[in-house]
Each structure stands twice: as structure tokens, then as C-alpha cells.
Amino acid sequence: MIKLKNVSKFYYSKGVIATGFTKVNLEFKIGEFVAITGESGSGKSTLLNVISGLDSYEEGEMYIDGKETSHYLEKDWEIYRRKNIGNIYQNFNLVNSYTVYQNIDLVLSLNGIPKDERKKKINELLKRVDMYKYRKTKVSKLSGGQKQRIAIARALAKDVPVIIADEPTGSLDKRSAANIIKLLKEISEDKLVIIVTHNYEQVSEYVTRAITMHDGKVLEDKKFKQVEEESIRCESSYKNITLFNKIRLGFRNTFNVVPKFILLFLVYAFIVAALMGEYSFFKKNEYEMDKSGYNEIFKDTDDKRVVLNKKDKTEFSLEEFDNIKKMKNVKSVIKNDVIVDQDMAFTNEDEMLWMMMRASDMEQFDGKVDLGRLPSNPNEVVIAGDKDNYYLSSDAESILDHKFYMMGDNGEKFKDKEIVIVGIKYMDLKLDYIDFKIYLSDELLDKVLFDTHQKYSTITIDFMGENHTSGNESNSFKLETNNWVTPGTAIIPEDFNSRCDKDVCINKNFNVKVENQYYSVNRDFKIEKNYNQKNINKILELNNYIKEDFEENYNGKIYINPLDYNELFNKGTYQMSVYVDDIENLDGVVAELDKMGYRVLKVKDTLVDVGSTEIMKILKLIVTCALIFVLFFISYFIIKIILKSRNTYFSVLRMLGASKNVCRELLIIELLVISNLSYFIFIGLAEINKTSLLNIEFINTVNTYFKLNDYIVLYVVLTLMSLLISIKYAAKLFKNSVMSVYREEV
Ligand code: ADP
Ligand code: MG
């Protein structure tokens, strides 16, 4: 079956050539029980390794079943080993971290044997070598004799025709040794057994042939029994290891050496944390650069904000408002968006405390208050701000349930805009110079809006063909309200008559136009009456309107009814602000609103950049990539050191006939299991961090700036890194023949 013709083996190391054995001519047949003896260094082990296909030979020819093998590639030797050879070593070469059962299961799994069959066979074999009761014991806990029994069981598990044992009893006591030899004889009936021994007496009663080696040569070859040549009976139909079993083994390898697992896990945890940290830092930076900038019109520069008008400049109906609010990805809609761009000043009754606040409407307030209660009537408000703020925490009593007044531009307090702060909410406002946010009821907001409209509108009075515009110093036209004026009409000063035909203005019409950034209205008023200094009190019931007052204030006031006045200034919603739930959805929502026919403006786009340039962004990206690169090499270096402890394991696998590919895949699975574990533990931590159980600042950053696709990108990076590391490592580890790798280890 195996034939060596003038085969020589040399070792080349450090420029020196050593001889393993020279010009060996031998032929082995199935059914033989061969003992090889000889002094140490005579080439016995080298010969066995060549016969086993574990090592290469340099000269001569080796035939397997009559076929020459010089053209064999690594792959062919792997198949040869797997199908034909069962090795037993002096130092056992078992996987110490596996149990007895798992050791034998390993070789059967590598050969694609189904589970039931494996189980049956392992139990059978363990009974045969009398080790059944130890099947769940870790190999590292067994004695030498017991280990060798397992090694024999493992060699037999594959049902191969050739058993090669290199000093199997070398490290055993006499009794165990005798038992092992007996066992070997028992199982060798229809196999070729080649055994190297120092102690010929031990085997003498069993052998069919004895070979003595000396100085790399065969000195003597005695055959006690002639054996008929038989071709290999079991060119067995072994299959390859199944994917499921690879994964199973990969998982087992991940966890079964605990210190190695912990070390690798720590390295991966570090990689994940560093990648997440760096990447989120980058995202945060980019996000803030994108967001930064200032704006003359919009105080609230939230990048998720979109400003909405109607193309025909008309008012939004309630239905439109509701429809927009119901849109997908819209988080909130502020009806009177004028307020979000206003900072309002408030003062308390004795005017000792002034507070600047950014306004918002009560509808935007979600959740509970931290102090006080929610408003229950229109002039009650909730304010929000930092927990560390003096007025919101230590001195909260000085503002809670106290009256405050809205203040005008020139510092006067508006007695009619009285509020009571009833609730305080703690939140991180992230506003540049404003410490408080105030949530106002719709009623209060209408008042504010009314004021704003009056303050910022241009009023043009077209009186008998002459335009008088507000804000003009010499303008003597002013609108005033008075309840005694009939709606739709106006009462004008007598003096104005001179502007009319024949000095009579009564029953004539004039026009008032109000224009501002949101709307413009036009209204005609019919002149009903004139007034002068004498009759003004009578007509308008201005009780205490004394003469001096009249002269001082008299500058052409036109009195109209408050209802008419309201119609000019107390208008509905001409502009709304829509806030999207996520910046990623901004463009989608804008496109949708655009399709609905609105005029849409992203507040983000109106910002004036403050020095962030594309070049800066690219530089940052390069730095991030460089860091990832460095990280990769550091981790590769550390993982390589940790994996060194796995080399023996992989050598054993290859001695058992596992191909390089299978070994590499097992290594890949091992690292992938750990990288996935670290990744998902981090995700778990990130989730817990959202609750109150855990609060790690850097994970908060990750939570804020990471979107699903960032998680996917990182997962891919991490997986690629693991793949690269295992492939790179495997390429190095499996580059050389099994024995040369193995020799480095032992
Ligand atoms: P044995 O098993 O009979 O004691 P070996 O087969 O181990 O002998 O060794 C045979 C010869 O080959 C010895 O001279 C030894 O020095 C040499 N040899 C074995 N392994 C190596 C090696 N890895 N590098 C160099 N020389 C080696
Ligand atoms: Mg030896």
C-alpha cells in the first residue's frame, strides 16, 4: 500500500543541511504490525512524518497504492491524511481545552459524519478503550495513559487503514504502556500499524515485522509473517465538514479557553468603543459645523425646521394645519411661527427680576413638569431650562406662582400681558444666549402676534389720493380705536376736511392698507363724523380728555371701531414652521410640502456660514480614516499575539486532516463570534443608556448622532476588520507544511 523507493529527507535550517534519513527503501502492507526501533536521532520520527504526509521528502519516490506522489499538492496530502492516516503521538496532541468526547467528535465532524452516527461511534470507541466514564472530562485533567487511550480512540474514529504511532508509550508507566500496546494490537487486525518504540520487548510478542534504523538508514528489516498485498479497503467516502459543524466548532473555540476569550473580547470591546467614539465624534463635529451659522431673520435655527407659506399669500386654514401635522416624519408644527423667532422679556411685579425667554407654544410641550404643575388657564405658563439655573432650582419659589409681565422693546411692562409661571421643566436648551424657554397658551400667543403685527406692519392710509405711510416723521395720520365709532366707518379731525372737495369729507371713503412680512390687507372706511377740540369728549366719550392733552396728542388721529382694527392686525396664520422628526427626513418632507403647493424654506439653508469649509470636512474625514487604519494595525498586532496560543490547536486540526480552508474558516468564525458579541453588547449598552439605569456620556453622543445606517457602516467595518485579521493571520500560519508549523510550537 505504501512504498518508499530511495527516499531521502533533508532539513535545511539556517544554511545548514541536516539529514532526516537517506535512501530508504520500504514497502508496507495492510495487515502488518510493524515496529521501528533505533537510537535517538536515527530518523524514525522523520520517516513516520513523511509516511503520514505531514512532511515533505526531497529525493526518491513514494507510492501510495501504486501511485507516485511527487506531483502531490498540499491539497492532495490533506485528502490523503484525512482518508488514510490515523496518527498517535508521544505527546498525544489532543485538544486540552476540549472534553474527551469533544476531542473525538472533532475528527468525526471534520469528516462530515452526521450527529447520530458520531454519537454512536464515539461512545462505542470510548467503551473500547475503557474511557467511557470520562467522556465529559476535560482532557487536561487526564493522566498520560488515559490521554493515550483517547488518542488511540481518536485515531480509530475515522476508520482509516493506516495507524502510525510515534513512541505512543514513551511517556507512560510500564503497566499503562503494556495496556496501550495490547489495545493497539486488538484494533490492528485489518490495518497497517507502524509503531516506533524504544522498548522492543514490549511489542515483540505482537509484531509481524521489525525494522531497525541507524543514522538515517534502514539497518535491518525482519518479517515474521508474510502478508498478502491488499489494496486500500477503505478509500472511504468521507464527506467534508458541514457548515453547521464549522459554526458549532467556531463557537466552541470562541468560549472554551476562557482567558483567551476574555483577552480577545477586551481587544474587540476596545476596537468597538474606539470606532464608535471616533466615528460619533466625527459625526457630531460634522453635524455641528453644518448647523452652525447665524441668521438675521430666524432666531430658531434648528436644522430640522422648515418655514412654510402659501404661494397665494393667503391664510392657512385649520384643515391645512391639521393635514400638515398628520404628515409622515413631521414631528411638530408651530402655527404662529413668528413666536419662535422672538425673544421675549418678562419682569415680575416689582420689576426686580428680568428674564429673557425664547417663546414656544404649549402644544410643543410634551411630558411632565419637574416642579409645579401644568397650566390650567390661558395666562398660566410653563418655563424650561437648565437644572443648574438658579431661578429654576434653588430659588424656584421666587418665580413659581408669581405674576410676570411681558415687556416691550423700550422696557415698559405690558399690564395687559400678565402671566403666571406655574410649572418648571428641566431640559438642556442648547440655545446660545437664552436661558429660558416659555410655553404660552394660544390666547397669549394671539396677543403677542397681534402686537407683533402692529409693531412690524407698514400702514398706508390713502386719503383722497394722498398716501400717508406710518413711520414717516411728518405723517399726521394715526389709527386709533374707539367703541363709539360705528363699524366700517371712521371719525376724522375737522382739519382734514380741507383735503376734501368743497371742504366736506363726510360720507367719503378712504383706504387703509396694512402690510407686513406675512400678509397685506386693504380696507375702505366711510367717514362718518368730524371732531374738534370742543366736541371730542362728547363724541368719543373720552371723559377726562382735557385741553392740554388734546394739544399735546393731537396729531391727526383717525378713530375706527376696535373690531375693524382687529381685522387689520389680528390675523390668522400666514406662516408656519414645520419640524421634522429626523434630519434625514428633511428633504423628503420638503419635497412633499412642495408637491402640496406650499412655498417651503429650509431654515438650515438660510444660515450664513461661519468658516466651515469643505476642505476642513475632508481633512477631518482623512484623520478619521487614518485613526481607523492605525486602530486596525494595533488590534491586528495584539490579536496576533493572543492567537499564537491557538497555533497548536490548528496544527492538531491539520494533523487530523483538516484542510487549510477549514482551519481558516474556523478562525474566521471564532473572531466573528467575538466581534459580533462585542458589537451587540455595545448596542445593548447603548439601549440601556437611553434609560435611567446607565448614563455614559460618550454613549449618549453615540445615541444622539448615530443613525441606523451608521450602525450598519460600523458593523461592516468591524466585520471586514475581523475577516481581514483572520485571513491575514491564517495566511501566515498555514503557509508552511504542518510539521514545520507544529515544530515551531512544541
Ligand atoms: P528519531 O525520531 O529517530 O529520534 P528524528 O527523526 O527526530 O530521529 O531525527 C532524525 C535526524 O533529523 C536527527 O539527526 C535530527 O537532528 C534531524 N532533525 C529532526 N528534525 C529536525 C529539524 N526540524 N531540523 C533539523 N534537523 C532535524
Ligand atoms: Mg523521534
Side-chain angles (χ1 to χ4, degrees), residues 222-241:
K222 282 190 285 195
K223 288 178 184 160
F224 309 117
K225 185 178 154 197
Q226 210 52 47
V227 173
E228 283 310 306
E229 170 66 333
E230 229 183 289
S231 77
I232 293 182
R233 173 190 43 78
C234 99
E235 187 64 50
S236 39
S237 56
Y238 284 129
K239 291 183 285 284
N240 285 321
I241 180 166

mmCIF file with all atom_site columns, all heavy atoms in Angstrom, residues 222-241:
data_model
loop_
_atom_site.group_PDB
_atom_site.id
_atom_site.type_symbol
_atom_site.label_atom_id
_atom_site.label_alt_id
_atom_site.label_comp_id
_atom_site.label_asym_id
_atom_site.label_entity_id
_atom_site.label_seq_id
_atom_site.pdbx_PDB_ins_code
_atom_site.Cartn_x
_atom_site.Cartn_y
_atom_site.Cartn_z
_atom_site.occupancy
_atom_site.B_iso_or_equiv
_atom_site.pdbx_formal_charge
_atom_site.auth_seq_id
_atom_site.auth_comp_id
_atom_site.auth_asym_id
_atom_site.auth_atom_id
_atom_site.pdbx_PDB_model_num
ATOM 1   N N   . LYS A 1 222 ? 13.166  -7.250  9.474  1.00 0.00 ? 222 LYS A N   1
ATOM 2   C CA  . LYS A 1 222 ? 12.821  -8.665  9.650  1.00 0.00 ? 222 LYS A CA  1
ATOM 3   C C   . LYS A 1 222 ? 11.313  -8.851  9.567  1.00 0.00 ? 222 LYS A C   1
ATOM 4   O O   . LYS A 1 222 ? 10.554  -8.164  10.251 1.00 0.00 ? 222 LYS A O   1
ATOM 5   C CB  . LYS A 1 222 ? 13.323  -9.160  11.018 1.00 0.00 ? 222 LYS A CB  1
ATOM 6   C CG  . LYS A 1 222 ? 14.823  -9.451  11.026 1.00 0.00 ? 222 LYS A CG  1
ATOM 7   C CD  . LYS A 1 222 ? 15.199  -10.171 12.316 1.00 0.00 ? 222 LYS A CD  1
ATOM 8   C CE  . LYS A 1 222 ? 15.197  -9.191  13.483 1.00 0.00 ? 222 LYS A CE  1
ATOM 9   N NZ  . LYS A 1 222 ? 15.870  -9.681  14.684 1.00 0.00 ? 222 LYS A NZ  1
ATOM 10  N N   . LYS A 1 223 ? 10.879  -9.815  8.683  1.00 0.00 ? 223 LYS A N   1
ATOM 11  C CA  . LYS A 1 223 ? 9.446   -10.102 8.585  1.00 0.00 ? 223 LYS A CA  1
ATOM 12  C C   . LYS A 1 223 ? 9.183   -11.459 9.201  1.00 0.00 ? 223 LYS A C   1
ATOM 13  O O   . LYS A 1 223 ? 9.791   -12.451 8.823  1.00 0.00 ? 223 LYS A O   1
ATOM 14  C CB  . LYS A 1 223 ? 9.009   -10.103 7.129  1.00 0.00 ? 223 LYS A CB  1
ATOM 15  C CG  . LYS A 1 223 ? 8.994   -8.693  6.533  1.00 0.00 ? 223 LYS A CG  1
ATOM 16  C CD  . LYS A 1 223 ? 8.617   -8.703  5.071  1.00 0.00 ? 223 LYS A CD  1
ATOM 17  C CE  . LYS A 1 223 ? 8.712   -7.299  4.521  1.00 0.00 ? 223 LYS A CE  1
ATOM 18  N NZ  . LYS A 1 223 ? 8.829   -7.253  3.062  1.00 0.00 ? 223 LYS A NZ  1
ATOM 19  N N   . PHE A 1 224 ? 8.284   -11.483 10.230 1.00 0.00 ? 224 PHE A N   1
ATOM 20  C CA  . PHE A 1 224 ? 7.974   -12.747 10.890 1.00 0.00 ? 224 PHE A CA  1
ATOM 21  C C   . PHE A 1 224 ? 6.795   -13.426 10.254 1.00 0.00 ? 224 PHE A C   1
ATOM 22  O O   . PHE A 1 224 ? 6.512   -14.567 10.488 1.00 0.00 ? 224 PHE A O   1
ATOM 23  C CB  . PHE A 1 224 ? 7.685   -12.501 12.374 1.00 0.00 ? 224 PHE A CB  1
ATOM 24  C CG  . PHE A 1 224 ? 8.756   -11.700 13.049 1.00 0.00 ? 224 PHE A CG  1
ATOM 25  C CD1 . PHE A 1 224 ? 8.495   -10.452 13.600 1.00 0.00 ? 224 PHE A CD1 1
ATOM 26  C CD2 . PHE A 1 224 ? 10.066  -12.213 13.124 1.00 0.00 ? 224 PHE A CD2 1
ATOM 27  C CE1 . PHE A 1 224 ? 9.483   -9.736  14.221 1.00 0.00 ? 224 PHE A CE1 1
ATOM 28  C CE2 . PHE A 1 224 ? 11.043  -11.475 13.744 1.00 0.00 ? 224 PHE A CE2 1
ATOM 29  C CZ  . PHE A 1 224 ? 10.776  -10.222 14.296 1.00 0.00 ? 224 PHE A CZ  1
ATOM 30  N N   . LYS A 1 225 ? 6.046   -12.712 9.481  1.00 0.00 ? 225 LYS A N   1
ATOM 31  C CA  . LYS A 1 225 ? 4.822   -13.273 8.917  1.00 0.00 ? 225 LYS A CA  1
ATOM 32  C C   . LYS A 1 225 ? 4.617   -12.626 7.565  1.00 0.00 ? 225 LYS A C   1
ATOM 33  O O   . LYS A 1 225 ? 4.730   -11.394 7.427  1.00 0.00 ? 225 LYS A O   1
ATOM 34  C CB  . LYS A 1 225 ? 3.656   -12.925 9.865  1.00 0.00 ? 225 LYS A CB  1
ATOM 35  C CG  . LYS A 1 225 ? 2.340   -13.538 9.470  1.00 0.00 ? 225 LYS A CG  1
ATOM 36  C CD  . LYS A 1 225 ? 1.285   -13.160 10.529 1.00 0.00 ? 225 LYS A CD  1
ATOM 37  C CE  . LYS A 1 225 ? -0.092  -13.171 9.902  1.00 0.00 ? 225 LYS A CE  1
ATOM 38  N NZ  . LYS A 1 225 ? -1.047  -12.435 10.747 1.00 0.00 ? 225 LYS A NZ  1
ATOM 39  N N   . GLN A 1 226 ? 4.371   -13.457 6.555  1.00 0.00 ? 226 GLN A N   1
ATOM 40  C CA  . GLN A 1 226 ? 4.157   -12.899 5.232  1.00 0.00 ? 226 GLN A CA  1
ATOM 41  C C   . GLN A 1 226 ? 2.713   -12.419 5.097  1.00 0.00 ? 226 GLN A C   1
ATOM 42  O O   . GLN A 1 226 ? 1.784   -13.096 5.492  1.00 0.00 ? 226 GLN A O   1
ATOM 43  C CB  . GLN A 1 226 ? 4.469   -13.970 4.161  1.00 0.00 ? 226 GLN A CB  1
ATOM 44  C CG  . GLN A 1 226 ? 4.973   -13.397 2.844  1.00 0.00 ? 226 GLN A CG  1
ATOM 45  C CD  . GLN A 1 226 ? 6.161   -12.439 3.045  1.00 0.00 ? 226 GLN A CD  1
ATOM 46  O OE1 . GLN A 1 226 ? 7.108   -12.737 3.762  1.00 0.00 ? 226 GLN A OE1 1
ATOM 47  N NE2 . GLN A 1 226 ? 6.102   -11.275 2.414  1.00 0.00 ? 226 GLN A NE2 1
ATOM 48  N N   . VAL A 1 227 ? 2.550   -11.209 4.589  1.00 0.00 ? 227 VAL A N   1
ATOM 49  C CA  . VAL A 1 227 ? 1.192   -10.647 4.458  1.00 0.00 ? 227 VAL A CA  1
ATOM 50  C C   . VAL A 1 227 ? 0.900   -10.406 2.991  1.00 0.00 ? 227 VAL A C   1
ATOM 51  O O   . VAL A 1 227 ? 1.741   -9.922  2.252  1.00 0.00 ? 227 VAL A O   1
ATOM 52  C CB  . VAL A 1 227 ? 1.082   -9.329  5.250  1.00 0.00 ? 227 VAL A CB  1
ATOM 53  C CG1 . VAL A 1 227 ? -0.247  -8.662  4.985  1.00 0.00 ? 227 VAL A CG1 1
ATOM 54  C CG2 . VAL A 1 227 ? 1.275   -9.593  6.729  1.00 0.00 ? 227 VAL A CG2 1
ATOM 55  N N   . GLU A 1 228 ? -0.319  -10.812 2.567  1.00 0.00 ? 228 GLU A N   1
ATOM 56  C CA  . GLU A 1 228 ? -0.706  -10.620 1.165  1.00 0.00 ? 228 GLU A CA  1
ATOM 57  C C   . GLU A 1 228 ? -1.048  -9.154  0.913  1.00 0.00 ? 228 GLU A C   1
ATOM 58  O O   . GLU A 1 228 ? -1.668  -8.503  1.739  1.00 0.00 ? 228 GLU A O   1
ATOM 59  C CB  . GLU A 1 228 ? -1.932  -11.488 0.833  1.00 0.00 ? 228 GLU A CB  1
ATOM 60  C CG  . GLU A 1 228 ? -1.608  -12.962 0.632  1.00 0.00 ? 228 GLU A CG  1
ATOM 61  C CD  . GLU A 1 228 ? -0.448  -13.176 -0.340 1.00 0.00 ? 228 GLU A CD  1
ATOM 62  O OE1 . GLU A 1 228 ? -0.540  -12.651 -1.472 1.00 0.00 ? 228 GLU A OE1 1
ATOM 63  O OE2 . GLU A 1 228 ? 0.556   -13.836 0.041  1.00 0.00 ? 228 GLU A OE2 1
ATOM 64  N N   . GLU A 1 229 ? -0.617  -8.654  -0.234 1.00 0.00 ? 229 GLU A N   1
ATOM 65  C CA  . GLU A 1 229 ? -0.948  -7.258  -0.549 1.00 0.00 ? 229 GLU A CA  1
ATOM 66  C C   . GLU A 1 229 ? -2.448  -7.130  -0.785 1.00 0.00 ? 229 GLU A C   1
ATOM 67  O O   . GLU A 1 229 ? -3.073  -7.925  -1.451 1.00 0.00 ? 229 GLU A O   1
ATOM 68  C CB  . GLU A 1 229 ? -0.167  -6.794  -1.802 1.00 0.00 ? 229 GLU A CB  1
ATOM 69  C CG  . GLU A 1 229 ? -0.602  -5.445  -2.357 1.00 0.00 ? 229 GLU A CG  1
ATOM 70  C CD  . GLU A 1 229 ? -0.314  -4.273  -1.433 1.00 0.00 ? 229 GLU A CD  1
ATOM 71  O OE1 . GLU A 1 229 ? -0.248  -4.440  -0.215 1.00 0.00 ? 229 GLU A OE1 1
ATOM 72  O OE2 . GLU A 1 229 ? -0.167  -3.154  -1.946 1.00 0.00 ? 229 GLU A OE2 1
ATOM 73  N N   . GLU A 1 230 ? -2.964  -6.109  -0.191 1.00 0.00 ? 230 GLU A N   1
ATOM 74  C CA  . GLU A 1 230 ? -4.391  -5.842  -0.305 1.00 0.00 ? 230 GLU A CA  1
ATOM 75  C C   . GLU A 1 230 ? -4.490  -4.374  -0.679 1.00 0.00 ? 230 GLU A C   1
ATOM 76  O O   . GLU A 1 230 ? -3.752  -3.572  -0.127 1.00 0.00 ? 230 GLU A O   1
ATOM 77  C CB  . GLU A 1 230 ? -5.008  -5.992  1.090  1.00 0.00 ? 230 GLU A CB  1
ATOM 78  C CG  . GLU A 1 230 ? -6.239  -6.859  1.156  1.00 0.00 ? 230 GLU A CG  1
ATOM 79  C CD  . GLU A 1 230 ? -6.756  -6.854  2.573  1.00 0.00 ? 230 GLU A CD  1
ATOM 80  O OE1 . GLU A 1 230 ? -6.107  -7.461  3.448  1.00 0.00 ? 230 GLU A OE1 1
ATOM 81  O OE2 . GLU A 1 230 ? -7.777  -6.198  2.802  1.00 0.00 ? 230 GLU A OE2 1
ATOM 82  N N   . SER A 1 231 ? -5.338  -4.024  -1.569 1.00 0.00 ? 231 SER A N   1
ATOM 83  C CA  . SER A 1 231 ? -5.451  -2.586  -1.853 1.00 0.00 ? 231 SER A CA  1
ATOM 84  C C   . SER A 1 231 ? -6.250  -1.958  -0.710 1.00 0.00 ? 231 SER A C   1
ATOM 85  O O   . SER A 1 231 ? -6.874  -2.667  0.078  1.00 0.00 ? 231 SER A O   1
ATOM 86  C CB  . SER A 1 231 ? -6.140  -2.351  -3.187 1.00 0.00 ? 231 SER A CB  1
ATOM 87  O OG  . SER A 1 231 ? -7.516  -2.555  -3.014 1.00 0.00 ? 231 SER A OG  1
ATOM 88  N N   . ILE A 1 232 ? -6.198  -0.642  -0.640 1.00 0.00 ? 232 ILE A N   1
ATOM 89  C CA  . ILE A 1 232 ? -6.833  0.018   0.495  1.00 0.00 ? 232 ILE A CA  1
ATOM 90  C C   . ILE A 1 232 ? -8.324  -0.263  0.494  1.00 0.00 ? 232 ILE A C   1
ATOM 91  O O   . ILE A 1 232 ? -9.026  0.043   -0.458 1.00 0.00 ? 232 ILE A O   1
ATOM 92  C CB  . ILE A 1 232 ? -6.577  1.535   0.463  1.00 0.00 ? 232 ILE A CB  1
ATOM 93  C CG1 . ILE A 1 232 ? -5.087  1.766   0.688  1.00 0.00 ? 232 ILE A CG1 1
ATOM 94  C CG2 . ILE A 1 232 ? -7.386  2.228   1.537  1.00 0.00 ? 232 ILE A CG2 1
ATOM 95  C CD1 . ILE A 1 232 ? -4.691  3.200   0.727  1.00 0.00 ? 232 ILE A CD1 1
ATOM 96  N N   . ARG A 1 233 ? -8.701  -0.959  1.553  1.00 0.00 ? 233 ARG A N   1
ATOM 97  C CA  . ARG A 1 233 ? -10.083 -1.398  1.656  1.00 0.00 ? 233 ARG A CA  1
ATOM 98  C C   . ARG A 1 233 ? -11.030 -0.211  1.817  1.00 0.00 ? 233 ARG A C   1
ATOM 99  O O   . ARG A 1 233 ? -12.117 -0.186  1.286  1.00 0.00 ? 233 ARG A O   1
ATOM 100 C CB  . ARG A 1 233 ? -10.200 -2.328  2.869  1.00 0.00 ? 233 ARG A CB  1
ATOM 101 C CG  . ARG A 1 233 ? -11.593 -2.753  3.221  1.00 0.00 ? 233 ARG A CG  1
ATOM 102 C CD  . ARG A 1 233 ? -11.563 -3.444  4.557  1.00 0.00 ? 233 ARG A CD  1
ATOM 103 N NE  . ARG A 1 233 ? -10.703 -2.704  5.505  1.00 0.00 ? 233 ARG A NE  1
ATOM 104 C CZ  . ARG A 1 233 ? -11.089 -1.598  6.135  1.00 0.00 ? 233 ARG A CZ  1
ATOM 105 N NH1 . ARG A 1 233 ? -12.289 -1.126  5.941  1.00 0.00 ? 233 ARG A NH1 1
ATOM 106 N NH2 . ARG A 1 233 ? -10.285 -0.982  6.988  1.00 0.00 ? 233 ARG A NH2 1
ATOM 107 N N   . CYS A 1 234 ? -10.525 0.749   2.547  1.00 0.00 ? 234 CYS A N   1
ATOM 108 C CA  . CYS A 1 234 ? -11.466 1.810   2.842  1.00 0.00 ? 234 CYS A CA  1
ATOM 109 C C   . CYS A 1 234 ? -11.004 3.129   2.260  1.00 0.00 ? 234 CYS A C   1
ATOM 110 O O   . CYS A 1 234 ? -10.615 4.046   2.944  1.00 0.00 ? 234 CYS A O   1
ATOM 111 C CB  . CYS A 1 234 ? -11.775 1.841   4.335  1.00 0.00 ? 234 CYS A CB  1
ATOM 112 S SG  . CYS A 1 234 ? -10.972 2.978   5.365  1.00 0.00 ? 234 CYS A SG  1
ATOM 113 N N   . GLU A 1 235 ? -11.067 3.228   0.957  1.00 0.00 ? 235 GLU A N   1
ATOM 114 C CA  . GLU A 1 235 ? -10.897 4.535   0.300  1.00 0.00 ? 235 GLU A CA  1
ATOM 115 C C   . GLU A 1 235 ? -12.230 5.218   0.586  1.00 0.00 ? 235 GLU A C   1
ATOM 116 O O   . GLU A 1 235 ? -13.084 5.379   -0.270 1.00 0.00 ? 235 GLU A O   1
ATOM 117 C CB  . GLU A 1 235 ? -10.672 4.342   -1.207 1.00 0.00 ? 235 GLU A CB  1
ATOM 118 C CG  . GLU A 1 235 ? -10.317 5.613   -1.992 1.00 0.00 ? 235 GLU A CG  1
ATOM 119 C CD  . GLU A 1 235 ? -8.993  6.234   -1.582 1.00 0.00 ? 235 GLU A CD  1
ATOM 120 O OE1 . GLU A 1 235 ? -7.969  5.538   -1.514 1.00 0.00 ? 235 GLU A OE1 1
ATOM 121 O OE2 . GLU A 1 235 ? -9.012  7.439   -1.314 1.00 0.00 ? 235 GLU A OE2 1
ATOM 122 N N   . SER A 1 236 ? -12.376 5.564   1.862  1.00 0.00 ? 236 SER A N   1
ATOM 123 C CA  . SER A 1 236 ? -13.703 5.824   2.414  1.00 0.00 ? 236 SER A CA  1
ATOM 124 C C   . SER A 1 236 ? -14.377 7.032   1.780  1.00 0.00 ? 236 SER A C   1
ATOM 125 O O   . SER A 1 236 ? -13.733 7.947   1.301  1.00 0.00 ? 236 SER A O   1
ATOM 126 C CB  . SER A 1 236 ? -13.592 6.018   3.915  1.00 0.00 ? 236 SER A CB  1
ATOM 127 O OG  . SER A 1 236 ? -12.415 6.745   4.165  1.00 0.00 ? 236 SER A OG  1
ATOM 128 N N   . SER A 1 237 ? -15.690 7.000   1.858  1.00 0.00 ? 237 SER A N   1
ATOM 129 C CA  . SER A 1 237 ? -16.477 8.050   1.203  1.00 0.00 ? 237 SER A CA  1
ATOM 130 C C   . SER A 1 237 ? -16.710 9.205   2.171  1.00 0.00 ? 237 SER A C   1
ATOM 131 O O   . SER A 1 237 ? -17.818 9.634   2.357  1.00 0.00 ? 237 SER A O   1
ATOM 132 C CB  . SER A 1 237 ? -17.804 7.480   0.747  1.00 0.00 ? 237 SER A CB  1
ATOM 133 O OG  . SER A 1 237 ? -18.465 6.921   1.863  1.00 0.00 ? 237 SER A OG  1
ATOM 134 N N   . TYR A 1 238 ? -15.635 9.658   2.830  1.00 0.00 ? 238 TYR A N   1
ATOM 135 C CA  . TYR A 1 238 ? -15.819 10.744  3.791  1.00 0.00 ? 238 TYR A CA  1
ATOM 136 C C   . TYR A 1 238 ? -16.205 12.035  3.105  1.00 0.00 ? 238 TYR A C   1
ATOM 137 O O   . TYR A 1 238 ? -15.679 12.385  2.057  1.00 0.00 ? 238 TYR A O   1
ATOM 138 C CB  . TYR A 1 238 ? -14.546 10.960  4.607  1.00 0.00 ? 238 TYR A CB  1
ATOM 139 C CG  . TYR A 1 238 ? -14.360 9.911   5.648  1.00 0.00 ? 238 TYR A CG  1
ATOM 140 C CD1 . TYR A 1 238 ? -13.164 9.223   5.758  1.00 0.00 ? 238 TYR A CD1 1
ATOM 141 C CD2 . TYR A 1 238 ? -15.397 9.610   6.520  1.00 0.00 ? 238 TYR A CD2 1
ATOM 142 C CE1 . TYR A 1 238 ? -12.990 8.256   6.708  1.00 0.00 ? 238 TYR A CE1 1
ATOM 143 C CE2 . TYR A 1 238 ? -15.225 8.634   7.485  1.00 0.00 ? 238 TYR A CE2 1
ATOM 144 C CZ  . TYR A 1 238 ? -14.028 7.954   7.573  1.00 0.00 ? 238 TYR A CZ  1
ATOM 145 O OH  . TYR A 1 238 ? -13.867 7.006   8.519  1.00 0.00 ? 238 TYR A OH  1
ATOM 146 N N   . LYS A 1 239 ? -17.087 12.709  3.766  1.00 0.00 ? 239 LYS A N   1
ATOM 147 C CA  . LYS A 1 239 ? -17.521 13.995  3.230  1.00 0.00 ? 239 LYS A CA  1
ATOM 148 C C   . LYS A 1 239 ? -16.741 15.101  3.951  1.00 0.00 ? 239 LYS A C   1
ATOM 149 O O   . LYS A 1 239 ? -15.980 14.835  4.873  1.00 0.00 ? 239 LYS A O   1
ATOM 150 C CB  . LYS A 1 239 ? -19.027 14.170  3.476  1.00 0.00 ? 239 LYS A CB  1
ATOM 151 C CG  . LYS A 1 239 ? -19.865 13.214  2.651  1.00 0.00 ? 239 LYS A CG  1
ATOM 152 C CD  . LYS A 1 239 ? -21.337 13.450  2.857  1.00 0.00 ? 239 LYS A CD  1
ATOM 153 C CE  . LYS A 1 239 ? -21.843 12.936  4.183  1.00 0.00 ? 239 LYS A CE  1
ATOM 154 N NZ  . LYS A 1 239 ? -22.032 11.498  4.300  1.00 0.00 ? 239 LYS A NZ  1
ATOM 155 N N   . ASN A 1 240 ? -16.989 16.328  3.504  1.00 0.00 ? 240 ASN A N   1
ATOM 156 C CA  . ASN A 1 240 ? -16.354 17.453  4.190  1.00 0.00 ? 240 ASN A CA  1
ATOM 157 C C   . ASN A 1 240 ? -17.201 17.919  5.359  1.00 0.00 ? 240 ASN A C   1
ATOM 158 O O   . ASN A 1 240 ? -18.392 17.627  5.428  1.00 0.00 ? 240 ASN A O   1
ATOM 159 C CB  . ASN A 1 240 ? -16.170 18.616  3.217  1.00 0.00 ? 240 ASN A CB  1
ATOM 160 C CG  . ASN A 1 240 ? -15.033 18.339  2.279  1.00 0.00 ? 240 ASN A CG  1
ATOM 161 O OD1 . ASN A 1 240 ? -14.012 17.780  2.684  1.00 0.00 ? 240 ASN A OD1 1
ATOM 162 N ND2 . ASN A 1 240 ? -15.223 18.675  1.025  1.00 0.00 ? 240 ASN A ND2 1
ATOM 163 N N   . ILE A 1 241 ? -16.578 18.644  6.222  1.00 0.00 ? 241 ILE A N   1
ATOM 164 C CA  . ILE A 1 241 ? -17.280 19.178  7.396  1.00 0.00 ? 241 ILE A CA  1
ATOM 165 C C   . ILE A 1 241 ? -18.426 20.085  6.940  1.00 0.00 ? 241 ILE A C   1
ATOM 166 O O   . ILE A 1 241 ? -18.287 20.855  5.993  1.00 0.00 ? 241 ILE A O   1
ATOM 167 C CB  . ILE A 1 241 ? -16.307 19.934  8.335  1.00 0.00 ? 241 ILE A CB  1
ATOM 168 C CG1 . ILE A 1 241 ? -17.048 20.481  9.553  1.00 0.00 ? 241 ILE A CG1 1
ATOM 169 C CG2 . ILE A 1 241 ? -15.576 21.046  7.599  1.00 0.00 ? 241 ILE A CG2 1
ATOM 170 C CD1 . ILE A 1 241 ? -16.126 20.924  10.669 1.00 0.00 ? 241 ILE A CD1 1
#
